């Protein structure tokens, strides 16, 4: 294989993206009665959607299965080659089988299709050749025909697999809306990692990691400094004698006061504090706290339980949990 160092890399990359984008756009014309019926059947299926394929189509099948499972539609991947060597046993009578293939004529597909038909399962073809063996034998066809591959030899699956992926996403999103699948539902299936934490981690989960710094309106400057330093959050709430929130003092407030060279004798928390501090209910999602911090260009918020002050959520907490 000879290397051609004279190609315009940018031009080739842009051409590839343009070809694949055009192919995806053309898929709109293939959303027909068969597609709608497949969505209905899968949505009402008492079993699972078993997705199969060979080669690059098998890789796309795995991604579609992963998307469906994570959004509330039970799905299972079955490699077409392994299917005819025992994996057909994973198909139950209530399952729907979807076979993905560009040509619809590969040897493995030709062996597999009659076996699935004999089982009596509904067979869906996601295929790029509507005149193929697979398309003719299937009960329903999802058309993913493309005019050409992005590969300059028109051989390597590029545009065709992109089209399959997009059609799979269209199917998954329709099912999401059919079932009314919400962000809260999504969080149940994604408890790990940063994505999951954005969907379920609450302010209360983070502010309870710290002691809640607080001083009284009458606390001295020394008491304020000790409280901020000991709790190591760079801030303290200011409360009245009944425990009601009155204000906030940050280490920045202290620095600005000292820069003015004012007499510090007799200074109390009430003299330094900022009133109406930014706060958030502890029942809110942590990601909402991050948005408030960004909006107001601050690094901490006071956490509240109704009108009761209960702690501090700091930007560092969000960074540590991978929310940012």
């Amino acid at each position: 294989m000879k290397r051609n160092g004279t190609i315009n890399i940018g031009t080739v990359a842009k051409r590839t993206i343009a070809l694949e984008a055009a192919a995806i756009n053309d898929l709109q014309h293939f959303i027909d009665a068969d597609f709608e019926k497949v969505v209905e059947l899968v949505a009402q299926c008492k079993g699972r959607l078993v997705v199969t394929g060979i080669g690059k189509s098998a890789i796309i099948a795995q991604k579609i299965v992963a998307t469906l499972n994570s959004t509330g539609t039970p799905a299972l991947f079955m490699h077409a080659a392994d299917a005819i060597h025992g994996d057909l046993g994973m198909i139950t009578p209530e399952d729907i089988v979807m076979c993905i293939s560009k040509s619809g004529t590969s040897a493995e597909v030709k062996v597999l299709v009659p076996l699935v038909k004999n089982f009596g399962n509904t067979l869906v073809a996601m295929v790029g050749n509507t005149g193929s063996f697979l398309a003719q034998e299937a009960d329903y066809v999802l058309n993913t025909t493309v005019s050409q591959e992005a590969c300059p030899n028109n051989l390597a699956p590029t545009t065709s697999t992109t089209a399959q992926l997009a059609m799979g996403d269209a199917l998954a999103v329709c099912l999401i809306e059919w079932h009314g699948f919400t962000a809260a539902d999504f969080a149940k299936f994604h408890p790990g990692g940063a994505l999951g934490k954005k969907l379920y981690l609450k302010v209360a989960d983070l502010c309870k990691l710290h002691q809640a710094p607080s001083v009284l309106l009458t606390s001295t400057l020394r008491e304020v400094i000790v409280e901020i330093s000991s709790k190591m959050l760079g801030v303290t709430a200011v409360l009245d004698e009944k425990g009601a929130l009155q204000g906030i003092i940050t280490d920045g407030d202290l620095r600005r006061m000292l820069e003015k060279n004012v007499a510090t004798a007799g200074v109390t928390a009430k003299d330094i504090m900022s009133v109406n501090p930014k706060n958030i209910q502890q029942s809110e999602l942590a990601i909402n706290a991050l948005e408030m911090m960004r909006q107001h260009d601050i690094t901490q918020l006071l956490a509240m339980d109704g009108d009761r002050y209960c702690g501090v959520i700091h930007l560092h907490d969000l960074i540590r949990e991978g929310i940012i």
Side-chain angles (χ1 to χ4, degrees), residues 56-216:
K56 305 299 187 297
S57 294
I59 297 172
I60 298 300
Q62 291 179 70
K63 189 277 176 185
I64 292 173
V65 165
T67 299
L68 291 171
N69 281 326
S70 70
T71 53
T73 298
L76 192 66
F77 170 69
M78 179 180 70
H79 197 282
D82 294 333
I84 59 180
H85 293 285
D87 280 4
L88 277 172
M90 69 177 62
I91 301 177
T92 69
E94 294 181 328
D95 293 338
I96 296 171
V97 178
M98 182 168 73
C99 185
I100 304 177
S101 174
K102 178 188 176 182
S103 69
T105 60
S106 64
E108 292 85 356
V109 168
K110 285 187 173 182
V111 173
L112 176 61
V113 166
L115 298 174
V116 173
K117 299 280 283 185
N118 288 339
F119 285 174
N121 296 85
T122 297
L123 177 63
V124 178
M126 182 184 290
V127 64
N129 179 2
T130 56
S132 66
F133 170 81
L134 174 59
Q136 296 302 310
E137 292 294 316
D139 298 298
Y140 301 97
V141 174
L142 304 184
N143 189 351
T144 53
T145 301
V146 298
S147 59
Q148 70 179 100
E149 298 285 7
C151 166
N153 299 312
N154 198 29
L155 294 174
T158 45
T159 309
S160 59
T161 47
T162 300
Q164 292 168 351
L165 190 63
M167 186 65 78
D169 284 344
L171 176 64
V173 172
C174 287
L175 290 165
I176 288 171
E177 298 214 7
W178 179 289
H179 292 300
F181 194 82
T182 65
D185 296 319
F186 193 82
K188 295 176 185 177
F189 298 117
H190 297 77
L195 177 59
K197 289 179 180 179
K198 287 180 181 180
L199 294 169
Y200 76 81
L201 196 67
K202 295 187 176 182
V203 170
D205 298 321
L206 297 180
C207 70
K208 70 182 181 182
L209 300 175
H210 313 290
Q211 297 182 55
S214 67
V215 295
L216 296 174

Side-chain angles (χ1 to χ4, degrees), residues 254-311:
L254 294 176
R255 288 194 300 272
R256 283 185 289 271
M257 181 199 68
L258 294 174
E259 287 171 356
K260 294 177 182 179
N261 294 318
V262 298
T264 58
V267 172
T268 65
K270 183 178 181 180
D271 302 321
I272 312 169
M273 73 179 189
S274 299
V275 297
N276 301 318
K278 300 293 184 295
N279 63 80
I280 188 170
Q281 291 296 311
Q282 66 171 0
S283 58
E284 289 276 352
L285 290 173
I287 188 66
N288 294 338
L290 174 61
E291 291 305 313
M292 284 189 65
M293 291 181 191
R294 285 173 171 167
Q295 180 182 352
H296 298 289
D297 195 24
I298 55 180
T299 58
Q300 63 271 105
L301 289 168
L302 300 185
M304 308 291 292
D305 183 8
D307 293 329
R308 181 178 67 86
Y309 163 69
C310 53

